[in-house]
Amino acid sequence: MSLQACARLVTLEGGEGAGKSTVLAALRATLQARGHEVVCTREPGGTPLAEQIRSLLLNTPTGGSQHEPPSADTELLLMFAARAQLVREAILPALQRGAWVISDRFTDASYAYQGAARGGDAGFISTLERQVVGITPGLTLLLDVPVPVGLKRARGRGAVDRIEGEHEDFFERVRAAYLQRAAGEPRRHFTCVLDEMNLARVEQYLAEVLSRMEHRTPAADGGFATGALLAASGEAHRAMTYYEQIFEEFATHELADDALHFMAVGRAALGEPELAITAWEQLINGYPRSEWAETAEYRVGLTMLSMSDGPRYDKVPLLAGLKRLRRYLDRYPTGDHVQEAKAAVSRTEEAIAG
């Protein structure tokens, strides 16, 4: 399952005491001044059930506590349980009706806290993100402050929760992970230091970003959100209908490549490889500069390989898939799927030779 970028979902990330609440209020005011509905939420939490999970996660066990502290694995899974509930019950419905959503933390936080700081497996977190969450923000504001400064602020507010009470080395790992993720996805992340970049400049930047993002119409983002909600509920055929409608309506718009990609992913999941390949080929040829073009090239090759399976072993799609994967490796020698493509090529060559 591919992650679907939602332009009207904005997330705020950063360590403890970084200033997320201040920026959230400024962003909400900026959007409301432009006439938008704004839904603000937080992680973990944001729905009645997710708030109960938050209490389990963050409350510091005491002598009278009814439960022991969660293990690292339990913490990770509870975080994703709360996140899944938040996405299904609050975020996707809000996007579906055209609202903007601002979330105080989202999946990046799990990579930083449960991954880098707790030592969790980033690959497993990525799997949970794809299978349980399914969406990614259009914009992430990473608020970065030195760990001692942030902790002094956070602990100066009163009682600390279980995670806020961790040692300084823990938060240094959190900070390093956030900065690494921001460097790896510069198109989505914007990093600012509130101590050095005053709030007026942050507000000015937000206004500029929002001006660029507002061309993503509520109808289109609502259609994507509806498609994601249906896909998550197991109604893949109905989800395809929304993606097809978006492509027809926005064929000359930058949303078209997004729609084609998710149409192709859905068709592949439904066991319709020919239709999936057609959509990916249309994306590759019609939108060569799309951020999905590389993935589409790779997925065409893999899908062709899959068509050789079944009751009658067929070398024709096997050879076609091998040719496409080699083309992918030629076009994208440092691409995101190079290792997987090389492994698939090796397996296929062995199968043909055998």
Side-chain angles (χ1 to χ4, degrees), residues 257-271:
D257 62 323
D258 291 342
L260 279 171
H261 173 70
F262 287 105
M263 284 166 54
V265 170
R267 292 302 180 193
L270 289 168

Side-chain angles (χ1 to χ4, degrees), residues 14 41 65 72 126 162 189 199 201 227 246 256 343 353:
T41 190
S65 174
S126 177
R162 185 179 63 85
H189 289 84
L199 187 57
R201 289 179 61 199
I246 292 170

Side-chain angles (χ1 to χ4, degrees), residues 23 26-27 139 141 201-211:
V23 174
L27 180 56
L139 173 67
L141 298 174
R201 289 179 61 199
V202 172
E203 290 173 336
Q204 180 183 358
Y205 169 79
L206 292 175
E208 293 171 358
V209 170
L210 293 174
S211 294

Side-chain angles (χ1 to χ4, degrees), residues 23-24 30 32 42 48 70 78 88 124-125 131 158 216 235 268 274 309 326:
V23 174
L24 188 150
T30 299
Q32 289 176 336
R42 67 176 183 176
L78 284 174
R88 302 294 182 274
F124 182 49
I125 295 173
Q131 298 297 328
R216 295 288 294 263
E235 299 185 61
E274 294 90 350
D309 298 334
R326 285 172 174 162

Side-chain angles (χ1 to χ4, degrees), residues 212-250:
R212 295 196 299 270
M213 293 173 69
E214 282 177 319
H215 71 279
R216 295 288 294 263
T217 68
D221 270 357
F224 274 118
T226 301
L229 194 58
L230 290 169
S233 302
E235 299 185 61
H237 280 101
R238 290 184 63 199
M240 290 305 99
T241 300
Y242 280 90
Y243 295 141
E244 288 165 357
Q245 288 175 348
I246 292 170
F247 178 69
E248 291 173 4
E249 185 174 352
F250 299 95

Side-chain angles (χ1 to χ4, degrees), residues 177-195:
Y178 270 134
L179 293 173
Q180 183 178 22
R181 286 187 65 75
E185 294 184 77
R187 292 181 60 185
R188 174 166 71 88
H189 289 84
F190 171 72
T191 304
C192 60
V193 182
L194 220 56
D195 286 349

Side-chain angles (χ1 to χ4, degrees), residues 294-350:
E294 179 201 336
T295 296
E297 189 74 57
Y298 168 68
R299 292 294 294 270
V300 166
L302 280 191
T303 305
M304 287 178 170
L305 292 183
S306 72
M307 294 170 67
S308 68
D309 298 334
R312 185 176 66 84
Y313 178 72
D314 191 347
K315 274 193 175 181
V316 173
L318 204 65
L319 291 169
L322 181 60
K323 182 178 180 180
R324 287 305 290 265
L325 286 175
R326 285 172 174 162
R327 189 173 93 168
Y328 166 79
L329 290 170
D330 287 340
R331 288 186 173 184
Y332 303 98
T334 60
D336 293 337
H337 309 286
V338 166
Q339 296 306 315
E340 298 97 323
K342 286 181 177 178
V345 166
S346 179
R347 289 194 303 270
T348 304
E349 289 174 339
E350 290 175 3

